[in-house]
Amino acid sequence: MSHDPVYVTRPFLPPLEELIPDFSNIWETRVLTNSGPYHMALEKALAEYLEVEYVSLFCNATIALVTALQALNVKGEVITTPYSFVATSHSLLWNNIQPVFADIDPVSLNLDPDAIERAITERTTAIMPVHCYGVPCDTDAIQKIADKYKLHVIYDAAHAFGVKRASGNLFAAGDISVLSFHATKVFNTLEGGAIICRTPEMKRHIDHLKNFGFVDEVTVVEAGINGKMNEIQAAIGLHQLNYLEEALCRRRLIDTQYRQAFSKVEGVTCMAVCNESISNCAYFPVLIHDNYPVTRDALYALLREHNIFARRYFFPLISDFDMYRHLPSANPANLPVAGQIASKVLCLPIYPELSDEDLQRIITLVQNPSGEKK
Ligand code: T4K
């Protein structure tokens, strides 16, 4: 029996008919972009939802990361994780900053604070950690290091929308957090992103930087970029917010079913459940160990044969791409944990519309990759 393809994710969208009145309004008013009413309303709604004061919307998280570094005037070297999507360290290169890779913690898969401290040199000016898969970094330990060495902290929070933490708002950590609203994320505006910062002055600065550096009609103060989110995206975002809790609930249900199903499968481990935070279940990574009947790549291929497109996020490590490999910190001996994890990880499909039937097919294949009758 052939099945429709099942991808690692499928964007959630509100019903089209709900969007039409807003699209009609945008058509009528011809206000398409440049901080129009939907843009302003989404910034306000997100600030409320995220319980933060200052949100600046962006066209995507990559441009937001580039802009965040400019807003803080970061130069020299920045310590970051090799276990992420390549946009994290690309944002450093766009600012002529040298990425310095530090190893990750084997449980959270986020930057290991001890490794951060070991990587500091006199050229270090900032730390760019990632809340990988939405799992919060050890923000207290990172802030201690930042305070001790007077470093900025820019969190790449691309995966973290919707994560709630008991010990204080995750997005209040560091100087700046950057969110992604890409189609593949828990909350999407097709493409999109946002910067969360801590002061009105910083928000003003960021808003100038995302609009070419214009302060008013006749004054340009910096080489800003065009990082603005348009009105259609902002309108979609406002509707998405209404469905967010429902979407998160379905994700959590799938997460629980995977965990139960794999709890007794030898050679498969799921990410530890973090009691300190409520997960957004943005991804469902599993680690495939040597005592599993087949290799990680064989399981990946087996799933593909069944039209199921799991992904090896984040393999290869950023530090293993040719363009980063020459950096001294990219040496695999410096990144043993990240190297191990990248060779074992497989992200299984998780999204609100994943059907029970498809979920069961995935579970059965992972439980029994050799297809033996049991
Ligand atoms: N920092 C971190 C830590 C990130 O993970 C990312 C992005 C960024 C920064 C930068 O954020 P943005 O600038 O994008 O806002 C995807 C996403 O393109 C990327 O946004 C994301 N991280 C990364 C982890 O995943 P690919 O190359 O794996 O995407 P793609 O096109 O293969 O999509 C994966 C699956 O999703 C497809 O097989 C099918 C499904 N899909 C995808 C799209 C785009 C859909 O069903 N519809 C769609 O429109 O990078």
Side-chain angles (χ1 to χ4, degrees):
M1 188 170 52
S2 77
H3 295 271
D4 286 340
V6 176
Y7 297 106
V8 68
T9 191
R10 179 177 162 86
F12 180 82
L13 285 175
L16 183 58
E17 57 277 14
E18 273 187 23
L19 296 163
I20 299 296
D22 288 319
F23 290 176
S24 303
N25 185 32
I26 291 167
W27 255 246
E28 242 161 66
T29 61
R30 297 291 201 272
V31 179
L32 307 184
T33 185
N34 290 6
S35 301
Y38 288 97
H39 177 285
M40 301 313 278
L42 183 60
E43 278 195 353
K44 189 160 174 282
L46 288 177
E48 271 164 29
Y49 175 78
L50 296 165
E51 298 175 353
V52 296
E53 280 200 83
Y54 305 108
V55 175
S56 294
L57 294 179
F58 272 79
C59 54
N60 61 58
T62 307
I63 296 285
L65 284 167
V66 170
T67 304
L69 291 159
Q70 284 171 2
L72 293 165
N73 198 22
V74 175
K75 307 259 188 256
E77 292 177 359
V78 171
I79 297 168
T80 191
T81 171
Y83 193 74
S84 181
F85 189 61
V86 73
T88 309
S89 48
H90 276 1
S91 72
L92 301 172
L93 296 192
W94 274 97
N95 283 292
N96 288 321
I97 294 165
Q98 170 145 329
V100 174
F101 297 111
D103 208 0
I104 59 171
D105 174 88
V107 176
S108 70
L109 310 189
N110 290 326
L111 272 178
D112 172 355
D114 291 337
I116 296 177
E117 193 157 10
R118 285 196 299 273
I120 292 173
T121 71
E122 68 274 10
R123 294 194 67 227
T124 309
T125 58
I127 308 167
M128 185 180 271
V130 177
H131 302 300
C132 192
Y133 309 130
V135 175
C137 292
D138 186 344
T139 55
D140 288 346
I142 291 172
Q143 197 56 52
K144 264 195 201 135
I145 296 169
D147 292 344
K148 183 167 161 193
Y149 296 93
K150 303 207 174 354
L151 306 175
H152 289 297
V153 184
I154 301 104
Y155 280 102
D156 179 338
H159 301 172
F161 191 93
V163 174
K164 303 265 185 208
R165 198 175 57 161
S167 60
N169 193 324
L170 185 60
F171 307 113
D175 299 83
I176 276 179
S177 292
V178 173
L179 296 165
S180 170
F181 308 148
H182 182 260
T184 54
K185 299 296 186 281
V186 164
F187 168 82
N188 84 78
T189 55
L190 313 186
E191 291 267 6
I195 294 183
I196 297 169
C197 66
R198 307 182 72 132
T199 65
E201 294 77 27
M202 181 57 79
K203 172 162 166 60
R204 210 170 308 127
H205 187 189
I206 288 165
D207 287 345
H208 294 156
L209 280 170
K210 78 173 193 192
N211 188 29
F212 314 99
F214 273 107
V215 169
D216 60 41
E217 248 180 69
V218 291
T219 320
V220 173
V221 289
E222 308 178 75
I225 199 155
N226 182 356
K228 291 166 279 127
M229 177 183 280
N230 68 49
E231 288 291 275
I232 291 283
Q233 288 171 286
I236 292 173
L238 283 165
H239 286 273
Q240 294 278 23
L241 262 188
N242 297 332
Y243 291 90
L244 188 66
E245 285 312 313
E246 207 178 295
L248 287 172
C249 274
R250 176 69 188 148
R251 284 178 176 277
R252 289 183 185 124
L253 212 64
I254 294 167
D255 179 283
T256 304
Q257 284 179 262
Y258 273 142
R259 283 175 190 281
Q260 279 168 357
F262 301 149
S263 63
K264 293 202 177 66
V265 179
E266 215 180 321
V268 175
T269 51
C270 305
M271 293 282 289
V273 177
C274 172
N275 295 324
E276 269 293 283
S277 62
I278 303 173
S279 168
N280 62 0
C281 302
Y283 296 85
F284 197 85
V286 289
L287 299 180
I288 306 298
H289 301 280
D290 292 344
N291 56 341
Y292 188 70
V294 301
T295 64
R296 183 273 309 267
D297 288 347
L299 177 61
Y300 167 80
L302 174 75
L303 291 167
R304 283 180 79 99
E305 278 166 31
H306 288 79
N307 239 359
I308 295 161
F309 297 88
R311 292 293 288 266
R312 291 164 291 188
Y313 296 132
F314 289 101
F315 164 85
L317 293 177
I318 300 177
S319 48
D320 283 340
F321 287 125
D322 279 347
M323 58 174 297
Y324 287 100
R325 212 189 280 263
H326 69 282
L327 293 170
S329 64
N331 187 332
N334 183 45
L335 308 165
V337 179
Q340 275 288 314
I341 300 292
S343 70
K344 291 175 191 252
V345 73
L346 191 63
C347 286
L348 300 177
I350 186 164
Y351 51 87
E353 289 164 350
L354 182 65
S355 70
D356 289 337
E357 189 206 340
D358 286 334
L359 177 62
Q360 200 46 58
R361 279 197 312 124
I362 299 163
I363 286 174
T364 305
L365 286 164
V366 175
Q367 284 175 329
N368 188 12
S370 359
E372 286 162 17
K373 295 254 182 303
K374 291 205 167 167

